[in-house]
């Protein structure tokens, strides 16, 4: 394990079990495949990615990383799941894209390359770490002044509990049971407080609507279940 305290070995092991089928759009990572175009379009719509230095923190098997690279970004992608990084690297032979994949924690990346990224993306990671504020600190530390942060997570509401845990894990079995823990979901106001603490200003927030039956995903004004936000580091 890396020299990093803000990490759950149990969470890493859970996601590493999904590594072999990460790129299967009909496998256990199906919701990620369905949501990825919406997430990548949100980032591309608010940031100039061509030639930008971009970090994808908690990159998993590289779905968003490749989308960002395809949009012209120079992507550094980090995850502590070694099997996930292996799968991500292998998929580059198929996609013919360039991504700098590393088995590295957010803290290690922030220390190695402080204030050096134009854009930092962190999708569905903050609800899986022991200390969310420490993660936000790292994300801020690796951003250039004026750089942009894009983050997605789950709201701590009854609607999110019903959709993400009861629905996705137990009824429809879209995700392995135990993927999410309701107590670790974060309200937008809580994330906004963390952002301010580390010199980040919230610029936009959108809900993510997802119908697992039709596999249709879209941006929404309803942030009750999933939401994405854009923030900017003080210049």
């Amino acid at each position: 394990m890396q020299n990093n305290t803000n990490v759950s070995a149990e969470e890493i092991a859970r996601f590493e079990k999904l590594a072999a089928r990460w790129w299967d759009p009909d496998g256990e990572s199906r919701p990620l495949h369905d949501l990825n175009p919406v997430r990548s379009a949100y980032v591309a719509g608010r940031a100039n990615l061509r030639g930008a230095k971009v970090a994808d923190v908690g990159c998993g098997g590289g779905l968003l990383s490749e989308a960002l690279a395809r949009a012209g970004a120079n992507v550094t992608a980090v995850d502590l799941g070694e099997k996930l990084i292996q799968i991500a690297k292998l998929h580059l032979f198929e996609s013919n894209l360039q991504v700098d994949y590393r088995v590295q924690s957010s803290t290690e990346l922030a220390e190695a390359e402080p204030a050096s990224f134009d854009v930092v993306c962190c999708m569905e990671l903050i609800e899986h770490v022991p200390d969310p504020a420490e993660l936000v600190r790292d994300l801020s530390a690796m951003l250039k002044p004026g750089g942009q942060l894009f983050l997605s997570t789950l709201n701590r509401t009854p609607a999110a509990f019903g959709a993400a845990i009861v629905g996705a894990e137990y009824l429809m079995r879209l995700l392995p049971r135990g993927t999410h823990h309701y107590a670790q979901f974060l309200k937008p106001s809580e994330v906004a407080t963390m952002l301010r603490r580390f010199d980040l200003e919230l610029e936009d927030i959108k809900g993510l609507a997802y119908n697992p039956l039709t596999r249709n995903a879209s941006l929404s004004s309803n942030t009750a279940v999933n939401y994405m936000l854009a923030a900017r580091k003080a210049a």
Side-chain angles (χ1 to χ4, degrees):
M1 184 57 60
Q2 303 283 323
N3 179 26
N4 180 39
T5 55
N6 193 28
V7 64
S8 165
E10 181 187 343
E11 294 281 10
I12 292 170
R14 182 177 293 116
F15 285 101
E16 282 199 310
K17 285 180 182 175
L18 308 177
R21 293 190 67 198
W22 196 272
W23 281 93
D24 179 355
D26 298 311
E28 294 94 335
S29 301
R30 182 176 127 182
L32 292 178
H33 283 265
D34 297 342
L35 289 167
N36 193 56
V38 181
R39 288 180 176 152
S40 57
Y42 181 75
V43 176
R46 298 189 65 90
N48 180 12
L49 293 176
R50 188 148 301 279
K53 189 174 181 185
V54 178
D56 184 12
V57 178
C59 65
L63 285 176
L64 181 66
S65 309
E66 285 203 4
L68 297 169
R70 195 171 286 111
N74 298 313
V75 182
T76 300
V78 301
D79 201 286
L80 283 171
E82 291 186 31
K83 290 178 183 175
L84 291 167
I85 291 295
Q86 287 170 7
I87 289 294
K89 287 180 175 178
L90 278 172
H91 198 265
L92 292 177
F93 289 102
E94 191 174 316
S95 64
N96 291 314
L97 293 166
Q98 285 191 315
V99 178
D100 179 8
Y101 286 114
R102 306 176 188 175
V103 179
Q104 197 173 39
S105 70
S106 60
T107 302
E108 288 163 336
L109 180 58
E111 289 174 353
E113 301 190 46
S116 60
F117 290 96
D118 302 296
V119 173
V120 172
C121 296
C122 186
M123 307 295 176
E124 303 281 329
L125 174 65
I126 196 167
E127 73 272 20
H128 295 287
V129 299
D131 188 344
E134 187 178 314
L135 174 61
V136 174
R137 181 203 67 194
D138 293 341
L139 300 174
S140 178
M142 63 183 78
L143 271 172
K144 292 177 182 177
Q148 293 170 278
L149 170 67
F150 295 91
L151 187 146
S152 75
T153 190
L154 287 147
N155 203 341
R156 197 172 64 256
T157 61
F161 179 82
I165 297 178
V166 177
E169 295 183 23
Y170 285 83
L171 296 179
M172 298 192 70
R173 298 183 181 177
L174 293 173
L175 299 168
R177 291 185 182 185
T179 298
H180 292 114
H181 304 284
Y182 182 67
Q184 291 175 263
F185 292 2
L186 291 161
K187 292 182 178 292
S189 58
E190 294 167 339
V191 178
T193 298
M194 294 177 208
L195 295 174
R196 285 194 297 272
R197 182 175 160 194
F198 297 107
D199 297 323
L200 291 157
E201 182 184 350
L202 180 64
E203 290 191 326
D204 185 64
I205 184 164
K206 290 282 190 296
L208 268 172
Y210 176 52
N211 184 328
L213 295 174
T214 62
R215 301 187 64 171
N216 182 58
S218 60
L219 292 178
S220 160
S221 59
N222 184 356
T223 60
V225 181
N226 286 78
Y227 63 93
M228 283 188 69
L229 61 84
R232 191 177 295 271
K233 189 169 182 180

